[in-house]
């Protein structure tokens, strides 16, 4: 992604600045990066790598403001743990510990808070991390909407692991660990009051064990991994295309989308490629290792529906295209603004 | 502090649960600690110590919700950096890097955001830390009040440094680095529209260099340090008294309080001992080293008004008293509820 400071058109922050798409990137590039200029180029990206006492550590943070806080398949607490765990593991780190800070609106039910905290504890145990420190602030009624949680995480990157968007190269195969759009559609369907009999469930999950299985199978042939959260697959792949100066071509027929997710997307006018996932990953893998990594993914409970969904090409740097099922090709834009506010 | 799980009387979260006093402790003990039970007993305390690849790291987080976000002497950004830096250095750690996560209300002026971010960058540079990773969420109008910032921080604890509330022991001298109550009163005076001609300024400051100077002078004779933020000196000393099973006796005449701070406290019915500080520290120091540490503090710009303000005694475990200027003695209670919401 282009990191040059640039003026921001808007004088006030808009919902789109939190979209995870183009407007988010503009806010970060215009306001945050010029001020926080420092030697970790991934600043304000999904995770930073720091070297401390000889160890390579990954360090990351995320705030969670999802509305409503409870939804089919998960809740804000589950999301807060898994989201930060996933940011760590996408860089090849083994997660070690998390912090959790709560901003609570006065009047929030203690029973709901307990439920969220239990959910965080369960998610942490499943992911093999500990929540070791925290903070609680309470604001008056109307100064927040229920509960916001910010988690930060620290992990250790084993020697020899080098993963990053800039390592994506022409020829790489793009693997996707399963059906896309489930989380965002689960929350949007709930908010819209859509009822399909069977609720669409969020895919919230910690991806550490899947990543370890993939690295065991593919090693250094895995060039980059990313969990496509806000902005969805479209945002993640556009960031890779820009960071690596490559073109990415997706095969629509190969991208796994559940029937009911596709139906809701059509009803709400959404493109599943732009919708947030909370338990899926994309990987760019050298072609000679792609089959082995795909097999390892399919052998893992979180990757049973994994698929090769595209490939990386030289030329047309910084763009993403999709070959549609009817044979045409259309660009996959970097999502511009906020289609799905408060989705995570 | 007593860590036994216990039922919570309240069914809904109240402002007092964010006070940093007794109700905060009850919420933590009842809701968070039972779920996040783990081997770091300081969980949800000011910082956790973790051992990674042989290094002892300190890890901490805090959310900042101060209202208004700009106040004499500082702003929410300055506070967010210094607050997390100070939590690290109170445990003897050398701060290394911070994360910063922003929850922004739609409509917040971009110019104000820039001002906050610049202030964070300046504070980080002064404290010698880098802001290496972050996140931004935007919520719709009315779902937050302007801007909330959550910082987390990682630091390295040099070998041999062992500081903690449980190390406070009878005979220790209690040192205070300067005038108390400045931050809380600066914010409250602003909110109340009180005008004294000269504004009362927040004391927001990073205390790392002061701590290093103290440790150079006192070494292992410094048993504990704490920055008395929410809940003020009263909360910090009560927590020490409970953690160490000791009694602490303060000398009112020795506690530095600025005239104008005392005046505002009287007007607003506050006890300066309960008011938040953001650039002061308390230390419990073995008596033979107290003079040397005090001299080192006074030689530092952030400790010029440092004073010995009390002593630790055996017996009457878990209590704090103050000898008043007229010769009587009264208990200094652990603050119970929220006197000063959104002070940090």
């Amino acid at each position: 992604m282009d990191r040059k400071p640039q003026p921001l058109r808007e004088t006030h922050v808009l919902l789109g600045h939190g979209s995870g798409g183009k407007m988010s990137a503009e806010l970060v590039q215009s306001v945050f990066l010029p001020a926080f200029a420092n030697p970790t180029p991934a600043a304000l990206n999904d995770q930073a790598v720091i070297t401390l006492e000889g160890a390579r550590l990954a360090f990351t943070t995320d705030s969670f403001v999802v509305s409503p806080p409870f939804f089919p398949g998960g809740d804000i607490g589950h999301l807060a743990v898994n989201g930060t765990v996933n940011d760590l593991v996408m860089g090849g780190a083994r997660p070690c510990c998390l912090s959790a800070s709560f901003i609570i609106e006065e009047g929030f039910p203690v029973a709901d808070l307990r439920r969220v905290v239990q959910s965080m504890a369960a998610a942490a145990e499943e992911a093999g991390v500990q929540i070791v420190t925290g903070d609680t602030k309470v604001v008056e009624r109307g100064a927040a909407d229920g509960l916001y949680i910010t988690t930060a995480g620290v992990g250790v990157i084993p020697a020899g692991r080098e993963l990053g968007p800039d390592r994506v190269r022409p020829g790489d195969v793009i693997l996707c660990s399963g059906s896309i759009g489930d989380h965002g559609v689960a929350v949007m369907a709930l908010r819209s009051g859509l009822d399909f009999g069977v609720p669409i469930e969020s895919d919230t999950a910690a991806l550490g064990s899947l990543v370890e299985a993939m690295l065991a199978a593919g090693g250094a042939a895995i060039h980059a991994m990313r969990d496509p959260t806000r902005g969805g697959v479209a945002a993640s792949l556009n960031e890779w295309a820009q960071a690596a100066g490559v073109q990415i071509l997706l095969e629509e027929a190969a991208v796994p989308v559940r029937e009911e997710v596709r139906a809701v997307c059509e009803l709400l006018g959404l493109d599943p490629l732009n919708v947030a996932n909370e338990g899926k990953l994309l990987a760019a893998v050298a072609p000679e290792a792609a089959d082995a990594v795909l097999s390892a993914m399919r052998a893992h409970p979180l990757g049973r529906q994994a698929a090769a969904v595209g490939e990386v090409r030289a030329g047309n740097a910084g763009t993403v295209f999709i070959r549609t099922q009817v044979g045409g090709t259309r660009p996959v834009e970097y999502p511009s603004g906020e289609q799905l506010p408060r989705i995570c």
Side-chain angles (χ1 to χ4, degrees), chain A:
Chain A
M1 200 180 319
D2 185 2
R3 296 290 187 196
K4 284 195 296 288
Q6 50 188 58
L8 200 68
R9 278 183 307 278
E10 298 82 11
T11 58
H12 291 76
V13 175
L14 305 179
L15 281 175
H17 289 120
S19 65
K22 194 155 168 277
M23 288 178 67
S24 291
E26 285 169 0
L27 183 74
V28 167
Q29 284 163 34
S30 169
V31 176
F32 295 112
L33 286 189
F36 299 156
N38 64 51
T40 56
L44 306 189
N45 206 328
D46 280 353
Q47 82 282 119
V49 177
I50 53 182
T51 303
L52 267 190
E53 308 277 294
R56 276 196 313 163
L57 303 183
F59 183 35
T60 188
T61 191
D62 266 314
S63 287
F64 294 85
V65 299
V66 62
S67 168
F70 299 97
F71 44 81
D75 58 54
I76 189 172
H78 209 257
L79 221 54
V81 169
N82 290 338
T84 286
V85 164
N86 289 345
D87 280 349
L88 292 174
V89 302
M90 291 305 124
R94 296 199 171 118
C96 151
C97 57
L98 302 188
S99 65
S101 195
F102 299 80
I103 296 173
I104 310 173
E105 184 187 13
E106 178 190 20
F108 191 76
V110 171
D112 285 357
L113 183 61
R114 277 190 206 282
R115 199 175 143 199
V116 168
V117 165
Q118 293 294 348
S119 175
M120 295 180 78
E125 191 176 342
E126 204 172 317
V129 296
Q130 293 192 318
I131 297 168
V132 297
T133 190
D135 186 38
T136 307
K137 293 291 189 302
V138 181
V139 297
E140 66 275 24
R141 271 175 209 273
D145 182 16
L147 173 67
Y148 299 146
I149 303 177
T150 301
T151 43
V154 175
V156 177
I157 305 175
R161 289 192 181 173
E162 300 287 349
L163 291 154
D166 55 313
R167 302 177 77 85
V168 175
R169 63 195 63 161
D172 281 359
V173 178
I174 303 293
L175 304 179
C176 176
S177 67
S179 60
I180 66 167
D182 298 4
H183 172 74
V185 162
V187 174
M188 289 305 291
L190 182 63
R191 289 217 293 247
S192 312
L194 296 175
D195 185 356
F196 294 82
V198 179
I200 297 173
E201 294 205 342
S202 167
D203 58 349
T204 170
L207 296 167
S209 59
L210 175 61
V211 165
E212 291 296 329
M214 291 169 66
L215 285 167
I222 301 178
H223 296 148
M225 288 189 282
R226 178 71 64 88
D227 57 329
T229 55
R230 270 185 304 175
V233 169
S236 293
L237 292 185
N238 270 280
E239 287 170 18
W240 280 2
Q242 288 174 37
V246 295
Q247 183 194 167
I248 296 177
L249 179 65
L250 287 176
E251 289 291 340
E252 191 173 39
V255 177
V257 185
R258 291 155 53 118
E259 268 317 302
E260 56 270 39
V261 167
R262 194 183 301 280
V264 173
C265 281
E266 277 170 18
L267 268 171
L268 299 177
L270 301 171
D271 184 337
L273 291 172
N274 293 347
V275 176
N277 310 276
E278 294 288 342
K280 297 292 163 18
L281 65 77
L282 299 166
V285 183
E288 64 275 14
D291 283 346
V293 175
L294 192 55
S295 295
M297 293 168 81
R298 288 181 173 159
H300 189 281
L302 292 174
R304 289 206 201 294
Q305 301 190 296
V309 297
E311 60 176 336
V312 180
R313 296 182 169 192
N316 242 331
T319 58
V320 180
F321 289 88
I322 190 164
R323 189 146 47 203
T324 64
Q325 306 208 30
V326 294
T329 297
R330 65 170 174 86
V332 176
E333 306 283 357
Y334 196 43
S336 60
E338 183 64 273
Q339 295 184 299
L340 303 168
R342 296 184 62 191
I343 212 71
C344 62

